[in-house]
Amino acid sequence: MRIPLILVHVVTVLITVRCSDITPAVFGNVLDGMPAAFGDFNSDELTDVFMLRKNGTTVQIFLAAEQEPLLRPSSDLSCTFRSMVVSVVPGDFDGDVFMDVLVITFDKESKLSFAYILWGGNGRLNCTNEGQPLIKMIGQPLALDFNGDMIIDLFGVNENGSRTFWVFDQSRRPPMAIPMDELTERPPPISQPHSNAYLDLNNDFLADLVVSTSKCFEIWLGIEQGFRFHETIPFPYNISLPHFEGKLGQALYLDVELTGKMDLLLPLCFDEECTNSTIMMYSDKWYNLQVNFRDGNSALWGFVKPDGHRYTDTITLRGGDFNMDGYPDLLATLKSTVSKQKRSYLLENVACYSCVGFTRKFQVKWQALNPFHNETAMAVFYDFYQDGILDVILVEAGKSNNTYSTAAFKNSLDYDANFVKVMVLTGRTNSLYPISPGSLGKKKRTYGTNLPGPSIAYRTTTQDGSPRSAIAAQLPQSAHFSLNLPYTTFGLGRTPNFVDALTIGVGGKSREWPQIIPNSQMVVIPNPIAEPWRWKAQLFVTPSKLILLSAAALTGTCGLISLIIVALYWKERREDKIEKLQEAHRFHFDAM
């Protein structure tokens, strides 16, 4: 049975979003850090940011804090390389429950990528010898769990051009290289840049593998040890690379229509300069969402043509529910065909009543990120205040393509929305480091770190009584600065009801938690993985404005009623006293 938290009067409201510049409150005066990845490095329940500094040669962790500045660079958590760092992937690569950092550098002479791991410890980071890379590969790898041991593995192309899985264990030695089963003797090459992904597509709670090639997307279904080929998805309009004169961007996987099924979003340019851009959606077939890229002044915008620079080496969309209405929105960097200016914009997920075959589309909100007007290279969602509302980190591009600076914008909703925020960890434990008191009275938990691939789904009922369901994948991509957050935030709109059910699927197993309180932040520890009934969940509830206002209104009402009772009681006492005095002075004829 659904128990409403608050009885609210249903009104029709116009949902708008306001943003404010909070750059000094977030970064202080350190604005040269470029976001590369997210993760909770020190296990304090706050999401830290892995930054690139010094022209992309230094990896430094900015630790999140509850006081300003909210992101603070740590000099002890920094490593410098001679070559340019092109990718950063946090995760547990040795199974000791502490977060390690995979760093990918690019060697211009050999045209190869070198993989290093900065082994983490109890609050420390060990820099590696750059002369001894763990792996040499072509392009950037995808983080996944190949054998289900909750230790992060990699998938990519080795230096000989063959598809390969690199499987790590607890030894910290170079990983075991396992060749991928090929369909043909000469399979199509993986596209570079690629948009490979690791997520559950067939709802069996085993993460599947999507491989983006020069001809199509290959779907490999997950099995207990590895993957089995399932099908191919051809590119829209029978596009074939590299002959296509336009540009294909990096695919993104979202439940766009809240159908409980993952859709594939693909940014696409029909011409070489990307003046004619659109977003394609694959849901059993391809649909052109026909995004209107003309602003209020009728100036035409399009995606930024890939130029090989950081954040713009491929067209990338980043998803998140910005207005908390339940439907995922997008952030994208666009370029004006008139002024040639590059800026990041919010693309809001809105209803489409005239569309055939789909019910939602994306609308560019040209003023949503005001007052930020500078040229930007990238925008990404981030929750600065850990309140379930997604804010935005923007990266400003300087006059030179090698100079960048960061800015922070707070998302200020003008209505009280509810949410559920979920993070699934590896669930591994370390007997040498049991749970112990941490800073600020919190406990440092050693139950794991970032985990790619889990599926997270919920079912609930809206205010009008209609059912709603949605699904999301945690950390499905890790290459080319995909910048996925290590948690999933579902917006619930103004629905104050309990979430009927929240389902977590990991490693072919699943568990359902019923009656989840809205405005909850939930941490799931899937340990032991084979016994879902023993999985643990820690719930942190953030009171909404409606609850606080209702409590204040209830307190005020009770106070007013108490004052009225006291006043009436005092008035009655006063009248009784006057009556007694009059009775005392009255002449009694019976006494004569």
Side-chain angles (χ1 to χ4, degrees):
M1 184 178 71
R2 235 174 27 260
I3 303 176
L5 296 178
I6 306 169
L7 295 178
V8 293
H9 179 62
V10 180
V11 296
T12 302
V13 295
L14 177 63
I15 299 174
T16 57
V17 179
R18 300 188 307 272
C19 289
S20 55
D21 188 350
I22 56 170
T23 303
V26 174
F27 296 106
N29 57 0
V30 183
L31 303 179
D32 64 333
M34 299 298 100
F38 300 108
D40 183 5
F41 181 80
N42 54 356
S43 301
D44 63 351
E45 299 163 10
L46 302 176
T47 303
D48 309 313
V49 184
F50 295 75
M51 296 283 199
L52 297 182
R53 302 185 69 185
K54 299 181 181 178
N55 198 24
T57 59
T58 295
V59 177
Q60 187 169 20
I61 302 176
F62 281 43
L63 297 178
E66 294 179 332
Q67 294 82 30
E68 297 180 0
L70 301 177
L71 293 175
R72 306 175 180 182
S74 175
S75 58
D76 297 331
L77 303 176
S78 175
C79 295
T80 300
F81 296 82
R82 293 189 299 271
S83 301
M84 179 79 68
V85 176
V86 295
S87 180
V88 175
V89 183
D92 186 1
F93 291 89
D94 58 359
D96 66 350
V97 312
F98 294 114
M99 183 172 285
D100 311 307
V101 184
L102 172 73
V103 177
I104 306 296
T105 64
F106 180 71
D107 182 69
K108 294 182 179 179
E109 294 183 2
S110 63
K111 305 297 182 183
L112 294 176
S113 298
F114 295 164
Y116 306 89
I117 292 185
L118 313 179
W119 300 108
N122 191 8
R124 66 180 187 274
L125 191 66
N126 301 303
C127 296
T128 186
N129 181 4
E130 193 172 357
Q132 298 177 348
L134 278 180
I135 307 170
K136 294 181 180 180
M137 63 180 67
I138 298 174
Q140 299 181 21
L142 169 71
L144 45 75
D145 184 5
F146 178 81
N147 53 2
D149 61 356
M150 295 296 176
I151 297 176
I152 309 303
D153 308 309
L154 300 175
F155 168 73
V157 180
N158 66 13
E159 56 184 324
N160 298 319
S162 300
R163 302 180 185 184
T164 305
F165 295 98
W166 290 278
V167 180
F168 291 82
D169 55 26
Q170 296 177 293
S171 66
R172 291 192 175 183
R173 291 193 295 267
M176 178 188 302
I178 300 177
M180 185 180 190
D181 294 333
E182 304 288 9
L183 297 177
T184 61
E185 292 184 0
R186 299 185 64 182
I190 292 179
S191 56
Q192 299 294 345
H194 65 78
S195 52
N196 299 340
Y198 180 62
L199 72 163
D200 181 17
L201 295 174
N202 59 348
N203 297 322
D204 64 350
F205 307 114
L206 271 173
D208 309 310
L209 178 62
V210 181
V211 181
S212 64
T213 72
S214 60
K215 295 183 178 180
C216 60
F217 292 100
E218 296 178 1
I219 308 299
W220 295 72
L221 298 182
I223 56 178
E224 288 189 3
Q225 292 286 334
F227 302 90
R228 171 178 54 84
F229 176 76
H230 176 60
E231 65 175 348
T232 60
I233 299 176
F235 292 143
Y237 302 111
N238 296 318
I239 290 171
S240 178
L241 300 177
H243 307 292
F244 177 55
E245 65 178 8
K247 302 293 179 183
L248 282 179
Q250 192 172 34
L252 180 66
Y253 302 85
L254 296 173
D255 186 358
V256 176
E257 302 177 280
L258 299 192
T259 59
K261 185 180 70 173
M262 301 297 291
D263 301 310
L264 188 158
L265 294 178
L266 183 66
L268 170 64
C269 297
F270 289 102
D271 62 316
E272 178 68 22
E273 297 301 320
C274 284
T275 58
N276 184 7
S277 302
T278 191
I279 297 176
M280 305 295 299
M281 180 177 73
Y282 185 84
S283 180
D284 297 327
K285 60 180 291 188
W286 287 106
Y287 297 97
N288 188 336
L289 299 186
Q290 298 179 350
V291 182
N292 182 8
F293 285 112
R294 288 194 180 274
D295 62 18
N297 299 320
S298 296
L300 180 63
W301 295 67
F303 293 121
V304 177
K305 174 185 176 181
D307 54 12
H309 297 293
R310 190 180 306 147
Y311 302 127
T312 52
D313 62 335
T314 182
I315 303 170
T316 304
L317 304 175
R318 295 179 173 87
D321 190 357
F322 190 66
N323 57 3
M324 305 298 287
D325 65 346
Y327 294 92
D329 308 304
L330 301 175
L331 287 173
T333 301
L334 306 178
K335 184 176 181 179
S336 171
T337 60
V338 177
S339 65
K340 307 303 180 182
Q341 184 185 36
K342 293 184 292 185
R343 287 186 61 185
S344 297
Y345 289 100
L346 173 72
L347 278 64
E348 187 177 20
N349 188 331
V350 298
C352 183
Y353 301 104
S354 60
C355 298
V356 178
F358 57 98
T359 60
R360 310 291 298 187
K361 65 178 182 179
F362 293 96
Q363 184 178 44
V364 183
K365 308 301 287 187
W366 302 103
Q367 305 300 323
L369 299 182
N370 285 347
F372 192 79
H373 298 291
N374 296 331
E375 187 161 311
T376 52
M378 184 273 292
V380 64
F381 293 112
Y382 181 85
D383 185 358
F384 290 118
Y385 294 95
Q386 310 298 321
D387 57 1
I389 298 176
L390 293 179
D391 309 298
V392 179
I393 297 177
L394 292 120
V395 175
E396 178 184 359
K399 295 181 180 180
S400 170
N401 288 321
N402 294 323
T403 60
Y404 302 88
S405 62
T406 51
F409 282 80
K410 176 177 171 53
N411 178 5
S412 301
L413 295 176
D414 68 346
Y415 72 108
D416 189 36
N418 296 285
F419 69 92
V420 171
K421 184 176 177 180
V422 185
M423 178 166 57
V424 185
L425 302 179
T426 59
R428 294 187 66 93
T429 58
N430 190 330
S431 59
L432 298 178
Y433 296 94
I435 296 176
S436 58
S439 60
L440 303 176
K442 294 185 178 180
K443 290 184 177 181
K444 287 193 174 182
R445 295 169 174 83
T446 56
Y447 43 58
T449 58
N450 287 16
L451 178 63
S455 63
I456 305 166
Y458 78 90
R459 300 192 314 272
T460 190
T461 305
T462 60
Q463 280 182 302
D464 58 7
S466 59
R468 170 181 285 185
S469 63
I471 192 170
Q474 180 173 284
L475 295 172
Q477 296 169 297
S478 55
H480 304 289
F481 299 112
S482 54
L483 286 166
N484 291 295
L485 290 167
Y487 52 79
T488 298
T489 300
F490 293 109
L492 303 176
R494 296 179 66 89
T495 302
N497 297 334
F498 282 89
V499 175
D500 294 342
L502 183 72
T503 304
I504 307 297
V506 185
K509 307 294 182 180
S510 67
R511 179 172 175 180
E512 182 178 284
W513 280 270
Q515 299 296 304
I516 300 299
I517 302 172
N519 291 355
S520 299
Q521 302 187 46
M522 188 171 176
V523 178
V524 178
I525 304 109
N527 183 28
I529 187 64
E531 301 175 7
W533 60 91
R534 295 177 58 188
W535 293 0
K536 299 177 183 178
Q538 298 188 0
L539 204 66
F540 307 90
V541 180
T542 303
S544 70
K545 296 176 183 177
L546 273 177
I547 294 178
L548 296 177
L549 290 175
S550 298
L554 181 62
T555 303
T557 302
C558 292
L560 179 60
I561 293 174
S562 299
L563 288 175
I564 292 173
I565 292 174
V566 170
L568 291 175
Y569 178 74
W570 177 81
K571 181 181 179 182
E572 185 177 357
R573 287 283 304 271
R574 183 172 177 273
E575 289 177 351
D576 289 345
K577 184 177 181 180
I578 293 173
E579 186 176 348
K580 286 181 180 180
L581 288 174
Q582 290 175 348
E583 185 71 24
H585 289 85
R586 186 176 300 169
F587 181 79
H588 294 278
F589 291 95
D590 294 339
M592 296 179 65

